[in-house]
Amino acid sequence: MHRKRILSGIQPSGNLHLGNYFGMMKRMIEYQETNELFCFLVNYHAITTITNSELLRQNTFKAACDFLALGLDPDKAIFWVQSDVPEVTELTWLLNNTTSIGLLERAHSYKDKIAKGFRPNHGLFSYPVLMAADILLFGGEAVPVGKDQKQHLEITRDIAIRFNKTFGETFIIPESLIENDTGLIPGIDGQKMSKSYKNTIEIFCEKDVLAKKVMSIITDKTPIDEPKETENSTLFQVYSLFLNDEDKKELEDRFRTPGLEYGKVKKELIEIIWNYFNPYRIKREELLNDKFYVVKILKEGAEKARSVGKSFLELARKNVGLNYQE
Ligand code: TRP
C-alpha cells in the first residue's frame, strides 16, 4: 500500500503552546507510525516577524528539543530546520512567477497582521509562496495544519496547478488534513490560541505560570446553581483536548448539572495539563543540555530532505528552461 507522504512545518516564533501541540505536533508524531513523514522548523518564515537574531536562534533550538522530547523520532521521520535546505528559496523564486498578486492580497493572515498594525514587508507578503515551496519541493501529498492555515494550503495548490499548466507537469498537488475536533483551539480569552494574541498556554512552562493562565481562562457569569453551557465554553473546549470521548461526555454531564464551580474545574485542569506533559519534561531538559546531539539530528535530517528536494528542483529548473547547456 502507498504510504502517503505527510509534510508540515511549524514556526519557531516563540515557546510552543497547546494550539501548536494539538493542531499539528501531536498529529505529526502519530503519523510517523503510519506514513512517510517530513517535519521542519520554518525559521525563514519566522524572520518575517522576528528581528532579534539571538531570539530566533534560541527559539529554533528550543522548538527542536520540544518536538523530539514529545516523541518525534528521527529514525521514523525526516526532521530538519528549513534554512538548512536553502534550495527552498530558489524554488520560491521560480514559484513567484506563477503566483498572482491578487491571490496574496487576499490572504487572511497577511490582512490580519496589517490590521494589527504590523508594517508589512515583502517577506510577510510573499510568506505563502515560501510555504508553497516548502511543500512542493518535497512532494508533500497531505499537509496537517490548523484551520487557520487552510487558505495558505489553497494558495499552494493554486500556485502548483498554475505552474504545472504553464511549464508542464512538475509538482504533486497537496491536500490539507484538517481534523474537525481539533480545528480551532481557543486561547485563554476565547479567540484562536496564538502567540500574536498573547492568549497561549505553553506546553512547557513553570507550574505557577501554567496555573495563572488556566485560572484566567474566560468563563461566563452563569450562577453556580444553574446548568452551564458547553458549546461556547473555552474552559470546556480546552479541557476536552485532554479527554477521550467517554470522559468528555462525563465532563459535559458535569457542566449540565447545577452546582459546578468553574474555579474547581480550572484547578483540576491545571493538574491534568501538568501531568499530561510531565513525562516529557525530563527528556526535554536532557535535550536542551545536549546541543551536539540535537544539531546532529537536524543536520542529518536536512541531508535526507535535500536529496528528496533535489529531484523536484532539478525538474522545475529544467521545465522553466534554466538548463541552457543542454
Ligand atoms: N504557515 C504555517 C503556520 O504558521 C507554517 C508553515 C510554513 C507550514 N511552511 C509550511 C505548514 C509548510 C505546513 C507546510 O502554521
Side-chain angles (χ1 to χ4, degrees), residues 7-11 40 42 45 82 127 130-131 134-135 143-145 148-149 152-153:
L7 167 153
S8 193
I10 200 163
Q11 276 206 55
F40 46 96
V42 296
H45 278 107
Q82 187 185 34
Y127 181 114
L130 177 58
M131 178 160 163
D134 279 337
I135 299 169
V143 185
V145 282
D148 60 309
Q149 294 296 315
H152 279 161
L153 244 297

Side-chain angles (χ1 to χ4, degrees), residues 6-8 23-24 27-28 31 142-146 175-178:
I6 293 192
L7 167 153
S8 193
M24 186 266 196
R27 294 164 60 201
M28 290 292 274
Y31 283 128
V143 185
V145 282
E175 274 162 27
S176 57
L177 279 178
I178 293 171

Side-chain angles (χ1 to χ4, degrees), residues 262-295:
Y262 286 139
K264 281 200 181 139
V265 176
K266 287 179 176 178
K267 289 214 170 91
E268 273 170 42
L269 181 56
I270 295 167
E271 294 308 314
I272 285 177
I273 299 177
W274 182 260
N275 292 334
Y276 184 95
F277 292 112
N278 208 33
Y280 310 116
R281 269 189 195 94
I282 296 171
K283 180 81 190 152
R284 178 171 179 267
E285 280 307 311
E286 282 171 15
L287 291 165
L288 286 170
N289 289 314
D290 197 352
K291 195 160 198 175
F292 183 82
Y293 169 76
V294 175
V295 170

Side-chain angles (χ1 to χ4, degrees), residues 106-130:
R106 286 191 294 276
H108 303 307
S109 102
Y110 175 70
K111 289 195 287 191
D112 276 2
K113 289 222 169 74
I114 290 181
K116 280 204 206 78
F118 271 94
R119 292 242 329 257
N121 56 43
H122 184 205
L124 190 66
F125 185 61
S126 61
Y127 181 114
V129 191
L130 177 58

Side-chain angles (χ1 to χ4, degrees), residues 84-305:
D84 279 336
V85 185
E87 286 84 348
V88 76
T89 60
E90 181 178 352
L91 182 58
T92 301
W93 179 252
L94 302 186
L95 298 179
N96 273 335
N97 304 294
T98 49
T99 307
S100 85
I101 297 278
L103 193 64
L104 298 180
E105 280 172 342
R106 286 191 294 276
H108 303 307
S109 102
Y110 175 70
K111 289 195 287 191
D112 276 2
K113 289 222 169 74
I114 290 181
K116 280 204 206 78
F118 271 94
R119 292 242 329 257
N121 56 43
H122 184 205
L124 190 66
F125 185 61
S126 61
Y127 181 114
V129 191
L130 177 58
M131 178 160 163
D134 279 337
I135 299 169
L136 303 177
L137 181 60
F138 307 105
E141 291 170 275
V143 185
V145 282
K147 242 184 204 157
D148 60 309
Q149 294 296 315
K150 192 165 188 273
Q151 191 193 26
H152 279 161
L153 244 297
E154 279 156 14
I155 295 176
T156 297
R157 290 168 57 90
D158 199 283
I159 294 173
I161 289 169
R162 200 184 291 212
F163 191 101
N164 285 354
K165 240 196 215 141
T166 311
F167 298 111
E169 276 309 300
T170 313
F171 298 117
I172 293 170
I173 311 300
E175 274 162 27
S176 57
L177 279 178
I178 293 171
E179 269 176 31
N180 280 338
D181 53 342
T182 51
L184 256 197
I185 293 151
I188 57 176
D189 60 355
Q191 296 186 79
K192 177 190 96 141
M193 190 179 288
S194 159
K195 198 188 142 262
S196 46
Y197 297 150
K198 297 195 168 52
N199 63 0
T200 58
I201 299 175
E202 275 134 34
I203 301 171
F204 295 111
C205 59
E206 298 301 323
K207 197 164 181 187
D208 55 335
V209 177
L210 173 67
K212 215 169 136 197
K213 295 225 168 158
V214 172
M215 292 315 287
S216 59
I217 290 176
I218 189 168
T219 47
D220 60 20
K221 298 270 177 302
T222 312
I224 292 182
D225 54 2
E226 279 178 28
K228 314 290 185 299
E229 246 220 84
T230 52
E231 198 119 298
N232 294 313
S233 163
T234 303
L235 180 58
F236 181 81
Q237 284 167 11
V238 174
Y239 201 138
S240 299
L241 294 169
F242 296 88
L243 303 178
N244 60 30
D245 286 349
E246 201 180 316
D247 292 340
K248 193 171 158 186
K249 189 97 205 30
E250 201 181 305
L251 185 67
E252 220 173 310
D253 290 342
R254 286 176 62 202
F255 267 67
R256 295 241 172 80
T257 310
L260 177 107
E261 290 177 44
Y262 286 139
K264 281 200 181 139
V265 176
K266 287 179 176 178
K267 289 214 170 91
E268 273 170 42
L269 181 56
I270 295 167
E271 294 308 314
I272 285 177
I273 299 177
W274 182 260
N275 292 334
Y276 184 95
F277 292 112
N278 208 33
Y280 310 116
R281 269 189 195 94
I282 296 171
K283 180 81 190 152
R284 178 171 179 267
E285 280 307 311
E286 282 171 15
L287 291 165
L288 286 170
N289 289 314
D290 197 352
K291 195 160 198 175
F292 183 82
Y293 169 76
V294 175
V295 170
K296 181 168 164 278
I297 285 179
L298 293 170
K299 295 287 177 187
E300 285 170 4
E303 279 320 303
K304 290 183 208 160

